[in-house]
Amino acid sequence: MRLTFATPDLKRPGAFVVFATDGGKLSASADKLDKASGGALKRALKNSKFKGRKGQTLVVLGPTGLKASRILLLGIGKVDKVDDLAAQSLGGAIFRSLGSSGDKTASVIVDTIKGVKLTGAEFAANVAYGCQLRSYRFDKYRTQEKPEDKPSLTSVAVMVKEVAGARRKFAPLGNIADGVFFTRDLVSEPANILYPISFAARLRALTKLGVKLRVLDEKQMKKLGMGALLGVGQGSANPSRIVAMEWNGAPKAKDKQPIAFVGKGVTFDTGGISIKPAGGMEDMKWDMAGAGVVSGLMHVLAARKAKVNAVGVVGLVENMPSSNAQRPGDVVKTMSGQTIEVINTDAEGRLVLADALWWCQKTFKPHTVIDLATLTGAIIVALGHHHAGMFVNNEKLSDQLIASGKGTGEALWRLPLGDAYDKQVRSQIADMKNVGGRDAGSITAAQILQRFIQKDVAWAHLDIAGVAWSNSDAGTVPRGGTGFGVRLLDRLVADHYEGK
Ligand code: BES
Ligand code: MN
Ligand code: ZN
């Protein structure tokens, strides 16, 4: 979708979007359109339940006296509640209402509204950003779709007095949207197209933004002793890879030590020999969402030239059953030297991360490591689809992450770590086993990861199994791969890890 900013012009063709506040009070431009159309808006108001509540809409089709095809009146609710997130969800509501309306173009008029704390430029930029995020669609494999069945809206002009200011405010948001789309594309791809080697190849795109790539193949990983990651991939015809993406944007030498992001990239998870049931198994194409988010985040940081040294590491494997697959009961040796008894080959993400986390710390010496993984079904049982699970060994990092989640609408909920849980993964024959029984499944998984975190490293694990994919459209996120985590971690970096 094409997004532009312009000064207000009420004489354009196409759809118009104007706002009303709580109680149904029209904005100045809404008032003007009402007058120009002989009172069409106010007549419609009188005959509807529209009260200007946040996200509420009222449409007047073919208003007389105007070139406009329609007027969409959009409620913004209580003026003092309008912040950047609220403006973004208004942008989402605009695409929800007009995306398939038949109109190709829309003009959104952002007036100065008394009581709204955002400047006109901020309001306009955030509306545009939300609209952009909601317009995402993964349709590259729909070859027979008729043009009339595709979304009609291809161009949105956000009209505001402060055009230059709006463009300036939008620039970094546009970078974030690009990164979110990069992630959503990866997460949406089927596993016959996206497997470790093709995933690594896609990351080449990041080099254009100034990201340095390093790819480890199986031979190199074997030499490094990554028996856990390689064990997961050994049943697949698709060889495993690790990719590191480095963005060095810190201007000062004292900020050299990087922050690291590590993603689980299981490009398909059949469960292996502990095979999953057939129903819903297709969902396991997005078991690489953690890696997808890390990739999209690096895309954002590089595109907006973040003043930070950051490294993204993704562990890419396919978990398949075959004559060469690892068996329940196998014992694997990790790069760290610790051994793991593989009780269930479907608990593979922790095995992949054990080696990816260790290699990341050994290679890049980060002060902070944040991993993202669609790690456990148990986190969906606990939190549903409304929070990602967070496990963290550092109070400051915990506070920062919770705040960044609230600020971006990507909510986190902290769960505990502790010795009592750690005991659940003790093994009779190895240093640990890869499952800790039915109880507290997400926590025992996190305990295993923590065994691969070095002393003095601030660490957080985000279990995104419940939030990486959505089955319904909502706000700024259409159904499908959500990109959850990109916005949150970009905010974390911007607020706490960028040198000035
Ligand atoms: N990839 C799954 C977790 C998952 C489930 C992600 C549903 C997204 C949606 C993970 O590898 C897995 O299979 N976990 C097992 C662990 C169990 C064997 C201890 C699970 O959650 O059942
Ligand atoms: Mn699994
Ligand atoms: Zn998995």
Side-chain angles (χ1 to χ4, degrees), residues 264 269 276 284 286-287 344 346-350 374-378 380 435 465:
K264 167 181 172 181
D269 181 13
K276 290 181 180 295
M284 288 301 107
W286 48 264
D287 206 19
N344 187 321
D346 196 12
E348 84 297 341
R350 54 204 78 181
T374 48
L375 204 62
T376 66
I380 311 177
V435 294

Side-chain angles (χ1 to χ4, degrees), residues 280-486:
M281 204 206 275
E282 67 279 7
D283 280 349
M284 288 301 107
K285 75 170 185 180
W286 48 264
D287 206 19
M288 38 52 69
V293 172
V294 168
S295 306
L297 173 68
M298 296 309 294
H299 194 291
V300 177
L301 296 179
R304 69 171 185 78
K305 300 202 186 318
K307 292 189 171 66
V308 67
N309 286 359
V311 55
V313 170
V314 291
L316 306 172
V317 303
E318 184 176 58
N319 188 19
M320 296 290 264
S322 83
S323 70
N324 195 42
Q326 76 178 342
R327 295 143 292 249
D330 283 4
V331 173
V332 293
K333 187 164 190 170
T334 62
M335 182 186 170
S336 75
Q338 301 175 84
T339 56
I340 308 177
E341 184 187 8
V342 180
I343 299 295
N344 187 321
T345 64
D346 196 12
E348 84 297 341
R350 54 204 78 181
L351 300 172
V352 172
L353 287 173
D355 280 330
L357 285 166
W358 194 262
W359 179 75
C360 174
Q361 292 164 94
K362 280 282 168 208
T363 308
F364 300 103
K365 311 269 182 317
H367 52 77
T368 302
V369 174
I370 299 172
D371 77 72
L372 298 107
T374 48
L375 204 62
T376 66
I379 202 69
I380 311 177
V381 176
L383 301 176
H385 303 285
H386 309 298
H387 287 88
M390 178 182 81
F391 302 83
V392 53
N393 70 359
N394 178 293
E395 297 308 309
K396 199 165 120 199
L397 181 59
S398 169
D399 293 345
Q400 292 171 347
L401 280 163
I402 294 281
S404 301
K406 285 195 176 135
T408 53
E410 297 188 327
L412 301 176
W413 196 264
R414 187 175 182 179
L415 286 100
L417 291 160
D419 289 343
Y421 296 108
D422 196 70
K423 285 196 181 117
Q424 283 179 238
V425 299
R426 285 184 183 169
S427 160
Q428 295 296 315
I429 69 161
D431 298 333
M432 71 196 89
K433 53 186 181 181
N434 76 329
V435 294
R438 239 174 59 88
D439 298 348
S442 303
I443 306 177
T444 51
Q447 291 298 153
I448 292 174
L449 300 185
Q450 191 171 24
R451 288 177 176 226
F452 296 89
I453 297 300
Q454 291 170 0
K455 255 206 330 283
D456 305 328
V457 171
W459 163 71
H461 157 56
L462 308 182
D463 192 335
I464 59 170
V467 295
W469 189 267
S470 157
N471 291 318
S472 57
D473 298 331
T476 55
V477 183
R479 61 194 299 175
T482 61
F484 182 106
V486 175

Side-chain angles (χ1 to χ4, degrees), residues 20 24 34 62 114 132 135 140 154 164 185 236 240 242 325 330-331 333 337 361 415 458 466 496:
D34 178 60
K114 227 174 108 186
Q132 178 91 310
S135 74
K140 65 195 278 198
T154 52
D185 282 346
S236 172
S240 306
I242 276 183
D330 283 4
V331 173
K333 187 164 190 170
Q361 292 164 94
L415 286 100
H496 302 289

Side-chain angles (χ1 to χ4, degrees), residues 50 57 154 446 468:
F50 184 88
T57 56
T154 52

Side-chain angles (χ1 to χ4, degrees), residues 7 11 20 110 180 241 247 278 358 417 432 439 442 478 491:
T7 47
K11 298 213 168 61
V110 174
V180 170
R241 292 288 185 269
W247 167 251
W358 194 262
L417 291 160
M432 71 196 89
D439 298 348
S442 303
R491 177 68 66 90

